[in-house]
Every structure is written in C-alpha cells, then in structure tokens.
C-alpha cells in the first residue's frame, strides 16, 4: 500500500478514489468513460481520520463555495489568480468567505459529511469560477510525495 504526504494535509495517507473514470458507485454515468468505469470523479479522495488538519498550499482568497450537498455542509473554495481549489466533506472550517489565506495555513478539519465512504479529503481543481464539470486533474497541485514506512 502506498501512503502520500502533501502540503495540503497533515500526515501521510492512502488514496481512496483517483481523478477520472471510476467504478465507485457514487458518481453519475459519464458518457466519456468506458462501461467498466462508468462514473466520473472530479477530484482526488485521500483517506484520513476525521479531524486531520487541512492546509492551504497556495496563496488565495476564500470565496463563497456554492458547491451543493455532495460536498457536505462545510465545502470550501480557495481562489487564486487562475484556479479554484475545492475541499469537500470537512467537518469544520477555520476560515470564512473573503479571508485571504497563505501556504501552510490550516483552513479546515477533515470529515465525512455527505461522504458515504467515511472520513477523507476530497480535493478538486477547477479553472477560476468554473463548475465541477470543468474540473481538471489536481495531481500536480496536490504535490504528493510517497512515504515509505
């Protein structure tokens, strides 16, 4: 099993669901995906215990998320000049809309609100102001490093 650390979260954790086409049953059919992996996941899910510190790894501003119920009650959106970074399923937010954030600042605690598969971080990257259907692979922005125990 592979564990990953990232400037976006405390600790080293396993990936649950990658970006893209998936067999996971929670996602609506996307016709660009093959029949064997019919749903499309618009972010990366990293398993972690509830309460894990989630940090910003970018300089940006917290904007009103308007994410909808799939992201949980405490969805978060950090806006930079080019992108919006979305954090879903948090159990607690430590920032508010309009607030500026800097790299390393703790912005939330992980949770499982609206997550059928337990505590984790849902991490998404979208072009600034775009919706989830425009999400792009966030792998490079997550900047994960494999950790060997």
């Amino acid at each position: 099993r592979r564990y990953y650390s990232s400037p976006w979260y405390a600790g080293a954790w396993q990936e649950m669901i990658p970006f893209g086409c998936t067999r996971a049953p929670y996602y609506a059919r996307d016709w660009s995906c093959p029949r064997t992996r019919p749903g499309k996941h618009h972010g990366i899910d990293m398993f972690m215990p509830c309460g894990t510190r989630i940090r910003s790894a970018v300089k940006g501003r917290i904007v009103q998320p308007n994410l909808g119920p799939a992201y949980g009650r405490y969805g978060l959106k950090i806006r930079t000049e080019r992108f919006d970074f979305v954090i879903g399923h948090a159990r607690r937010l430590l920032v508010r809309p309009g607030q500026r954030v800097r790299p390393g600042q703790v912005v939330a605690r992980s949770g499982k609100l609206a997550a059928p598969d337990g505590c984790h971080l849902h991490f998404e990257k979208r072009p600034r102001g775009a919706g989830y259907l425009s999400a792009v692979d966030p792998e490079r922005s997550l900047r994960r490093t494999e950790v060997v125990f």
Side-chain angles (χ1 to χ4, degrees), residues 8 10 23 39 59 69:
W8 285 94
R23 286 187 192 93
K59 181 179 171 183

Side-chain angles (χ1 to χ4, degrees), residues 6-139:
S6 168
W8 285 94
Y9 52 81
W13 309 107
Q14 294 178 333
E15 181 179 89
M16 291 172 62
I17 302 174
F19 175 85
C21 299
T22 180
R23 286 187 192 93
Y26 321 116
Y27 306 101
R29 177 84 168 101
D30 185 302
W31 298 105
S32 69
C33 294
R35 207 183 309 220
T36 57
R37 291 178 290 143
K40 185 145 188 195
H41 187 228
H42 297 94
I44 293 175
D45 287 352
M46 296 298 295
F47 164 80
M48 58 188 59
C50 285
T52 300
R53 291 183 315 272
I54 306 299
R55 300 181 293 248
S56 177
V58 296
K59 181 179 171 183
R61 181 183 296 271
I62 304 300
V63 296
Q64 193 66 36
N66 301 323
L67 297 171
Y71 294 85
R73 183 175 177 189
Y74 301 115
L76 179 66
K77 191 185 292 184
I78 301 171
R79 179 162 286 169
T80 66
E81 287 185 23
R82 295 184 55 216
F83 295 102
D84 288 341
F85 294 95
V86 174
I87 293 169
H89 311 303
R91 78 172 187 191
R92 183 173 175 209
L93 298 181
L94 302 171
V95 292
R96 62 191 178 290
Q99 184 175 341
R100 291 185 186 276
V101 295
R102 65 192 182 322
Q105 181 175 345
V106 178
V107 295
R109 298 282 184 162
S110 66
K112 61 181 179 180
L113 296 174
D117 45 1
C119 287
H120 68 276
L121 164 68
H122 173 83
F123 183 77
E124 216 172 279
K125 179 181 179 181
R126 305 173 179 178
R128 182 183 169 114
Y132 76 95
L133 292 175
S134 298
V136 296
D137 189 345
E139 178 68 39

